[in-house]
Amino acid sequence: MSDDSNLIERFLEMLVAETGASQHTLSAYRTDLEQASMIAGGRLSSADRETLKNLPAHWRKLQNSTVARKSSSLRRFFGFLVEEGFRESDPSDALPKPALVRSLPKTLSHAEIALLFELIAEGLGREPVKSSVVRLSAILELLYGSGLRASELVGLQRSSITSDKPYLIIKGKGGKERLVPISQQARAAVHRWNEHVDPKEKWLFPSRTGHISRIRLFQIIREHAVKAGINPAKISPHVLRHAFATHLLEGGADLRALQTLLGHSDISTTQIYTHIDSARLVELVNKRHPLSQVNLAR
């Protein structure tokens, strides 16, 4: 095994041990580093600034977001090499830092959220109540009511939520734990669903092989959107998380509190929601201000 191959493997092992990186994340890092190593003739780990300056020539046809990701992968790799004593200096300041235009996340209006829950209320009011409706009620209450990630929701154990505890401890990205408040309504929905789950089951939302997958969760949410008359292309578990954050901010939530609730390690990630709120305010002025009704081109 070459030095590059050996050090890349050690770097990936570090990511797993220290951050709990997913297989998808590891695969992306591996691809970026192995491609850079090939360009550097198998001597990436010992490359100098001049060598790194040649890399962008091979990235010319790539989008800014891809170049930014590759540069980030290499910076983290060289930081690891210096920290572990495999080299003395970090040449990664020679890598490009392309400007990125961060797109606003999709979200749902209050009216669209109301449609989702109204349909569930109708289903819960019928006799007999379908088990799928009870499960969907618990899912939506947790996704929109607490802002859980899809991976966090499907991995919930039955013992995670109890009627006497208004919160749960979630282990999110990188194995970091955070406290998530659970509303009384959500706890009631989960309690109803628990009555439909075999007490021997470990998972809150079980499947034949363990717990339901993120793909199945995605399908469940979109099927419900269609029944509620909402374009299924507009909705996903992550969109419900965005709606949770956006509507809290509109209601006056503090940005730091929102950062904690969402489990963002960096406040800059949370600040994207201020742009959503700003966009709403601009639209409000353009539509409602008296001058918007006046034709000034006379």
Side-chain angles (χ1 to χ4, degrees):
M1 182 180 287
S2 69
D3 283 348
D4 275 2
S5 297
N6 179 50
L7 291 172
I8 288 171
E9 290 301 326
R10 295 185 68 161
F11 170 68
L12 297 177
E13 289 172 3
M14 179 277 295
L15 285 181
V16 173
E18 294 190 5
T19 70
S22 68
Q23 287 301 315
H24 177 75
T25 299
L26 295 175
S27 177
Y29 271 108
R30 182 187 297 278
T31 298
D32 290 340
L33 294 174
E34 288 181 348
Q35 288 178 350
S37 176
M38 188 178 301
I39 294 171
R43 295 186 294 275
L44 177 66
S45 55
S46 58
D48 56 19
R49 296 181 80 260
E50 292 305 313
T51 301
L52 295 191
K53 283 181 180 179
N54 293 328
L55 287 178
H58 298 268
W59 298 342
R60 277 196 297 257
K61 295 182 180 180
L62 301 178
Q63 294 182 350
N64 275 4
S65 58
T66 304
V67 173
R69 191 201 72 218
K70 288 180 175 295
S71 292
S72 177
S73 297
L74 289 170
R75 286 193 188 91
R76 194 159 187 180
F77 177 61
F78 282 111
F80 161 79
L81 294 179
V82 172
E83 288 176 7
E84 296 297 318
F86 293 113
R87 60 178 296 154
E88 293 182 359
S89 61
D90 182 349
S92 63
D93 61 343
L95 293 166
K97 298 178 180 179
L100 295 178
V101 178
R102 194 167 188 178
S103 59
L104 297 179
K106 294 179 181 178
T107 188
L108 296 172
S109 68
H110 291 273
E112 289 169 324
I113 290 292
L115 286 174
L116 295 174
F117 281 96
E118 285 169 7
L119 186 59
I120 286 177
E122 290 177 12
L124 293 175
R126 298 193 185 102
E127 290 293 343
V129 179
K130 292 183 178 180
S131 176
S132 59
V133 174
V134 180
R135 180 181 67 173
L136 183 59
S137 174
I139 286 173
L140 282 188
E141 289 285 356
L142 292 171
L143 287 176
Y144 175 67
S146 297
L148 298 186
R149 296 181 177 94
S151 58
E152 294 169 347
L153 182 130
V154 299
L156 284 175
Q157 297 185 14
R158 291 184 67 248
S159 59
S160 300
I161 303 173
T162 59
S163 58
D164 62 338
K165 191 168 64 176
Y167 62 88
L168 58 85
I169 304 296
I170 286 290
K171 184 171 286 189
K173 287 187 175 180
K176 295 180 180 178
E177 291 187 342
R178 74 180 190 279
L179 186 147
V180 177
I182 303 295
S183 70
Q184 187 173 352
Q185 188 170 328
R187 296 201 307 274
V190 170
H191 178 72
R192 280 196 304 268
W193 167 239
N194 258 325
E195 294 177 349
H196 292 256
V197 181
D198 187 332
K200 297 178 182 178
E201 285 285 355
K202 174 182 177 181
W203 306 108
L204 180 59
F205 300 107
S207 70
R208 293 177 182 176
T209 57
H211 58 66
I212 62 171
S213 66
R214 285 181 292 180
I215 293 175
R216 181 58 189 138
L217 177 63
F218 182 88
Q219 293 170 338
I220 290 170
I221 297 299
R222 286 209 160 177
E223 287 166 4
H224 183 62
V226 171
K227 293 176 183 177
I230 298 173
N231 181 355
K234 291 185 63 176
I235 193 169
S236 70
H238 208 63
V239 168
L240 288 169
R241 174 173 157 88
H242 287 317
F244 160 80
T246 304
H247 297 168
L248 268 182
L249 193 63
E250 289 175 357
D254 175 79
L255 201 62
R256 285 290 180 185
L258 193 60
Q259 177 190 6
T260 300
L261 291 171
L262 293 171
H264 291 160
S265 58
D266 191 332
I267 190 67
S268 64
T269 306
T270 316
Q271 285 173 334
I272 189 69
Y273 294 103
T274 64
H275 300 311
I276 297 175
D277 203 37
S278 298
R280 183 182 64 86
L281 294 175
V282 169
E283 183 181 4
L284 180 64
V285 170
N286 288 336
K287 287 186 176 180
R288 303 299 182 186
H289 193 280
L291 284 179
S292 67
Q293 310 301 320
V294 177
N295 183 5
L296 299 178
R298 287 192 282 180

